[in-house]
Each structure stands twice: as structure tokens, then as C-alpha cells.
Amino acid sequence: MKCLLAVGACYLDTILDVDHYPAEDEKLRASSILKRRGGNCPNTLEILQQLLDTDTDDAGTPTISLALLAVLPSSSSTAYQEIRASFNVSTTDVMAHCICRPDVTEAASSYIIRSRAMDSRTIINYNGLPEMTAAEFAAVADKLGEENMGWCHFECLRHLRQIFSTVKISVEVEKPAREGLQDLAALADVGNGYESPEACLRVQATLVSKATVGAGDTFIAGMLFALTCRAAHWDLDRKLRFANEVAGRKVVQEGFAGLGGCMRYAL
């Protein structure tokens, strides 16, 4: 069974809902607070696992396996245990390739302020974890091997493209103004569904952020499912419609629970 490896940051999110975004030095009471595990790739894997749970082969076996490659705090830390408990799947398998920093006890954190007045979100990140090095990524990729890896979704992909020519690569472009993204996107097989890296970055740069926390991760999960599990059976239009529907269902609910079951009829 081929593996889909997702490479990216894993966060612990704190989400505050407010009537309006506070002015400088203003004291404001939030109407609700939500704490959960976040991060683009972990979110995408959570939804992908739900879809795979409803899409087994005749023997009841998932068609692909999932793995996360992220930098995490010490495996003995409370933050690590929170992240581990957040996956409703075989966490040992999903997190087997994660890199733990033994001297760090705090996970990367996001503080998300959602304004009802503007239907917007403001995100403040903190990450005290040393970044993954190219050598660390290469070691994991080499350990998995080209024969075991069917797809890789992540931000740093030059090693795979050079060494494993048959592995499918997708890249998420969330910060289009960042230097070097055009060269990065050019190495991928799939980049947010656009016909070229230039078109993708040009359109993304014009988009206004709305308070749809997790909808983009859900869309990517839907597309990755369609591209890996329905590659030969669905045309591009159906793949996009499927991914859009999963993302649309996410917009109208809090969290990711039950999204896979809602899409059972479409599989």
C-alpha cells in the first residue's frame, strides 16, 4: 500500500470569537473560545482519514496510508500528548516520521481572532521549535523510499523531485507574496488546481481572507483523495466538485468531525 506523506507545521490553536476586531489598547470580551490541534497538513490528514475510512477495498483495507512529517516538541511533553490524542486514527503510524525536539516542551501555537463584524480572521503564530533541516527531510524520504511513497504534499520538495522521479508532488501556496514560491510551485505536479505557478500565485495574491478556518485544508484533502483514490475514474471537473463540496460542508460547521461520513454518497 502506497503512502501519502504530508510535510508541514503542526500547531495547537486557540480560537477566539469576537464581535469586532479590537482596536489598539482596547479591552474586549470574547463570545467563545476553542482550543484544538491545527496546522494545514495535520488538518488535511484528519479529513483524508475520514474519507479513506469510507473508501476501503473489498478486504476492508484503505487504499492508501497516511503519514505526517512535522517538527514537534519532546515526546514526553504535554503538548506532544495533546497532538497525539487529537488524531482519531492509528496515531503511531501517522506520527511515526515526525521529528521531536527533546529540549522543547511547547508546540507551535496559533492564536486566531474571528471577527463577526467583518467575517474575517486574524492569525498570530508563535513557533519556538527549530525548523526541519533539509538533511532531516531527506533522511525520512530516503527511509520511506520511492517504492513506498505514492504522493507527497508539502512545502520543501526539491530533494524528492531530484531523487524520486515517480512520486507525485503537490504544494500548497498560502502566502503568495513569499520570495521563492514561484520556483517551488514549478517543481510540483499539482499546485492548488491552477494551470501554471504564475496563475496560481497571481490569483491567490488578490484573495481576501474570510473567517473559514480549515476550509482550505478541507479542500486540499478532497483533492488529494480524488487525485490518489479516484485518479482513473473521475475527470478533473468531478474531482473539483467533490473537493468543493467537502470544503463547503466544512464552512457551515465547527471542526472537522463527520465530514467523511457526509460525503459517503459521493464515493
Side-chain angles (χ1 to χ4, degrees), residues 2-17:
K2 291 285 188 176
C3 172
L4 186 153
L5 179 68
V7 185
C10 183
Y11 285 82
L12 290 178
D13 292 345
T14 300
I15 304 172
L16 293 169
D17 286 312

Side-chain angles (χ1 to χ4, degrees):
M1 180 167 50
K2 291 285 188 176
C3 172
L4 186 153
L5 179 68
V7 185
C10 183
Y11 285 82
L12 290 178
D13 292 345
T14 300
I15 304 172
L16 293 169
D17 286 312
V18 295
D19 291 331
H20 63 275
Y21 189 78
E24 187 173 354
D25 205 31
E26 177 183 2
K27 186 176 181 179
L28 185 65
R29 182 184 293 272
S31 58
S32 67
I33 184 172
L34 174 65
K35 296 183 178 181
R36 71 183 188 198
R37 189 263 305 126
N40 295 349
C41 285
N43 288 346
T44 294
L45 290 184
E46 180 178 345
I47 303 149
L48 259 173
Q49 186 61 57
Q50 292 185 36
L51 295 171
L52 290 172
D53 286 344
T54 64
D55 187 59
T56 57
D57 60 21
D58 293 338
T61 304
T63 49
I64 58 172
S65 63
L66 303 178
L68 173 67
L69 176 52
V71 176
L72 301 177
S74 168
S75 59
S76 63
S77 67
T78 300
Y80 178 90
Q81 297 305 322
E82 288 181 29
I83 293 169
R84 181 180 179 86
S86 71
F87 287 99
N88 296 320
V89 294
S90 177
T91 308
T92 302
D93 294 335
V94 171
M95 296 176 61
H97 301 291
C98 288
I99 300 166
C100 291
R101 302 300 190 202
D103 297 330
V104 182
T105 59
E106 295 295 330
S109 300
S110 284
Y111 299 88
I112 303 171
I113 302 173
R114 294 193 297 202
S115 166
R116 293 179 178 176
M118 298 301 295
D119 191 26
S120 66
R121 62 178 184 175
T122 301
I123 303 175
I124 303 171
N125 290 334
Y126 173 75
N127 188 358
L129 291 163
E131 295 286 352
M132 184 187 313
T133 66
E136 286 174 326
F137 167 73
V140 172
D142 293 342
K143 182 179 179 180
L144 279 169
E146 188 171 11
E147 66 278 7
N148 296 318
M149 201 176 343
W151 197 290
C152 199
H153 177 73
F154 59 151
E155 300 171 54
C156 174
L157 46 74
R158 193 172 299 273
H159 176 81
L160 269 186
R161 179 53 75 214
Q162 292 175 346
I163 306 301
F164 301 154
S165 60
T166 64
V167 174
K168 291 293 185 182
I169 295 172
S170 55
V171 58
E172 179 178 357
V173 179
E174 188 176 53
K175 300 176 179 65
R178 180 170 290 176
E179 184 179 352
L181 280 187
Q182 183 167 316
D183 293 337
L184 177 69
L187 294 172
D189 297 295
V190 178
N192 288 15
Y194 293 93
E195 62 184 10
S196 69
E198 292 83 0
C200 175
L201 295 172
R202 186 167 56 250
V203 173
Q204 289 291 315
T206 66
L207 298 181
V208 177
S209 176
K210 294 293 183 180
T212 53
V213 177
D217 304 333
T218 307
F219 175 83
I220 289 172
M223 278 302 295
L224 288 175
F225 175 85
L227 289 165
T228 55
C229 300
R230 294 293 187 273
H233 304 292
W234 292 358
D235 60 18
L236 179 59
D237 180 71
R238 184 171 179 184
K239 293 180 175 104
L240 288 169
R241 284 189 285 111
F242 178 82
N244 272 315
E245 181 174 348
V246 185
R249 290 179 180 274
K250 168 62 190 80
V251 170
V252 298
Q253 73 172 59
E254 188 70 70
F256 304 108
L259 288 171
C262 291
M263 297 304 297
R264 186 184 303 273
Y265 82 95
L267 301 180

